Amino acid sequence: MFFWNLFKKKEKLPITTFQEPSCTLDEQQSFEPDYKFLISIHKKNILTAEKSPCIDKKVIEKHLDQGYIQYSTIQFTLQNVTIPVLKNLLLTKQLKTSGKKAELIARITENFSEQEIRSSITDSFYQRTPKGEKVVKKWLEKKQIEHLSEIKKIANMILNQQLKDAMLEIRSKNSFVSATIDDNGKVSFIETPNEDIIYSSSDNMINAIPLYMKDIGTTEQRILYIAVDCILLQSNPGYVNMVIDDLHDLGYEVSEAEVLHVAQGCYNYCELLNIKETFPDDKYYFISSVHDSRTCERCRSLDKKSFAIADAKIGKTLPPFCYNCRCIIQAESIYKLSSKNKS
């Protein structure tokens, strides 16, 4: 890819050095930065951002002018391009291409001038300035306080058996994002709460928490906090570490294994409730396990086994059966239909 880039006309990108904002002191004091924008624009490729209909160019210019973001420095650019790009640059001087990314970058900075790097690597990124980092940190701290307060609020609702209120609270944290395009072709995104939408799965996650806690025989507040936080963060891929950090901020030290057990246990009780609602005539459910090198013997042996819904018991007849268990349950009706189709 790099070879063909040598013959391509380079697109001129802005000089990636930080300049003092040109606005007046009054303008700086009256400007309120967009915190979500500052988070999303960081490390964003400049050319990609300029072509995106979702990013307002005026917002970019304003934050550049106010000194909250800047064009990436050479070091920042090198850290954010891909390893193949770094290796291709090293090959132009027949330099070694082995080693980790940090080693490749060090080798480049030792053997290439800034001009050589800029002429070869056309990518450039937006980067938060120290001023931008400061306001983002302050905003995130505020959001974290609000998040921890939300965990406590929903947990207290569950403790007081106000499950309907807890469901509505969870719903209020979700929203639909709709896009509109004006006459000039500008795209706007509007968030609308989903409080009137039926959230069968989310609602059952709330109902599943007391069932899970009763099953494992605990009333510990930290377990309740873990369960509530898992629901609030369920759409985040890295939710486990986030829950661990949140519980630390709440004064509890929890392990990855504990978070996974709570998350999987509540999830499977939620699935059990979904089965009872969707297939009221079903009396059994089936275990479905993943078959690969990571699957333990116990999970492998339970695959396709059926258990009575009334006999559900975490660790015995209901997942999780082991650390980082990947078993799921399947409604009796679905399992039989699937088996019939296969045959």
Side-chain angles (χ1 to χ4, degrees):
M1 193 69 184
F2 176 80
F3 177 79
W4 294 111
N5 283 339
L6 291 174
F7 297 94
K8 288 171 66 176
K9 186 179 179 181
K10 307 291 184 185
E11 294 191 60
K12 285 191 175 182
L13 293 175
I15 296 174
T16 55
T17 54
F18 176 64
Q19 296 178 346
E20 287 296 322
S22 59
C23 53
T24 65
L25 182 59
D26 287 341
E27 287 176 322
Q28 289 185 49
Q29 291 174 342
S30 63
F31 179 74
E32 183 68 23
D34 185 327
Y35 305 102
K36 290 183 180 179
F37 167 80
L38 286 173
I39 291 172
S40 65
I41 200 67
H42 191 58
K43 299 184 180 181
K44 185 81 74 177
N45 184 288
I46 290 175
L47 293 179
T48 303
E50 287 179 351
K51 294 174 183 177
S52 172
C54 306
I55 301 175
D56 191 332
K57 310 305 178 292
K58 290 182 180 178
V59 174
I60 294 177
E61 291 171 5
K62 195 69 175 176
H63 284 79
L64 279 168
D65 193 45
Q66 298 285 344
Y68 289 101
I69 58 174
Q70 66 183 50
Y71 302 121
S72 59
T73 61
I74 282 292
Q75 194 67 19
F76 191 84
T77 297
L78 293 174
Q79 288 168 356
N80 286 283
V81 295
T82 62
I83 287 178
V85 170
L86 299 176
K87 288 184 175 182
N88 283 333
L89 180 56
L90 288 166
L91 286 173
T92 62
K93 289 192 177 184
Q94 289 79 50
L95 295 170
K96 280 181 18 178
T97 59
S98 60
K100 296 181 178 179
K101 191 171 189 177
E103 295 175 282
L104 301 180
I105 292 172
R107 206 169 295 144
I108 288 170
T109 54
E110 288 171 5
N111 294 278
F112 290 81
S113 67
E114 182 173 326
Q115 185 58 42
E116 287 176 318
I117 295 171
R118 291 196 188 284
S119 63
S120 298
I121 298 179
T122 59
D123 287 321
S124 191
F125 306 85
Y126 287 113
Q127 174 184 0
R128 285 195 297 268
T129 63
K131 180 181 178 180
E133 291 289 353
K134 184 178 178 180
V135 297
V136 166
K137 182 183 177 182
K138 186 176 180 180
W139 182 75
L140 289 175
E141 288 171 351
K142 178 186 174 185
K143 298 301 289 184
Q144 178 67 355
I145 292 170
E146 292 173 357
H147 178 66
L148 298 179
S149 176
E150 193 65 29
I151 294 172
K152 292 179 180 179
K153 182 179 180 180
I154 295 172
N156 285 332
M157 288 176 179
I158 295 172
L159 276 176
N160 294 321
Q161 299 183 336
Q162 298 170 324
L163 300 185
K164 183 66 176 177
D165 292 337
M167 292 172 194
L168 292 173
E169 190 66 26
I170 291 288
R171 291 183 193 183
S172 70
K173 299 303 165 188
N174 295 288
S175 60
F176 277 133
V177 179
S178 57
T180 59
I181 304 177
D182 61 21
D183 295 336
N184 297 319
K186 181 181 175 182
V187 180
S188 299
F189 293 89
I190 303 172
E191 289 190 20
T192 53
N194 290 334
E195 295 175 2
D196 298 326
I197 306 298
I198 296 176
Y199 283 91
S200 175
S201 183
S202 295
D203 289 354
N204 278 339
M205 279 298 286
I206 291 293
N207 288 322
I209 293 175
L211 295 175
Y212 168 80
M213 294 184 70
K214 182 180 179 182
D215 187 319
I216 65 172
T218 186
T219 56
E220 284 188 77
Q221 193 170 50
R222 70 188 185 93
I223 300 298
L224 179 56
Y225 283 167
I226 292 172
V228 171
D229 205 15
C230 284
I231 297 176
L232 292 172
L233 298 173
Q234 60 187 329
S235 61
N236 293 276
Y239 79 94
V240 174
N241 288 330
M242 295 170 73
V243 171
I244 291 172
D245 291 341
D246 289 343
L247 267 289
H248 174 78
D249 290 345
L250 287 166
Y252 299 97
E253 297 303 323
V254 298
S255 66
E256 179 180 301
E258 284 180 298
V259 174
L260 286 171
H261 194 279
V262 174
Q264 293 164 359
C266 289
Y267 170 78
N268 282 293
Y269 260 113
C270 175
E271 286 299 291
L272 202 62
L273 291 171
N274 289 337
I275 289 172
K276 290 169 75 173
E277 285 182 2
T278 311
F279 306 100
D281 294 331
D282 281 14
K283 302 300 179 186
Y284 297 87
Y285 60 88
F286 286 78
I287 303 296
S288 178
S289 63
V290 179
H291 288 271
D292 60 22
S293 59
R294 293 165 52 200
T295 308
C296 71
E297 286 304 315
R298 181 149 186 239
C299 290
R300 198 183 297 273
S301 67
L302 287 168
D303 188 40
K304 296 183 175 60
K305 297 283 186 184
S306 64
F307 296 100
I309 291 175
D311 296 333
K313 176 69 179 173
I314 291 288
K316 293 184 177 180
T317 61
L318 191 69
F321 300 116
C322 64
Y323 171 72
N324 207 12
C325 179
R326 292 174 292 159
C327 291
I328 59 172
I329 63 173
Q330 199 172 33
E332 180 183 5
S333 297
I334 297 294
Y335 180 83
K336 288 181 177 179
L337 180 62
S338 176
S339 299
K340 183 180 178 181
N341 289 338
K342 286 180 181 178
S343 63

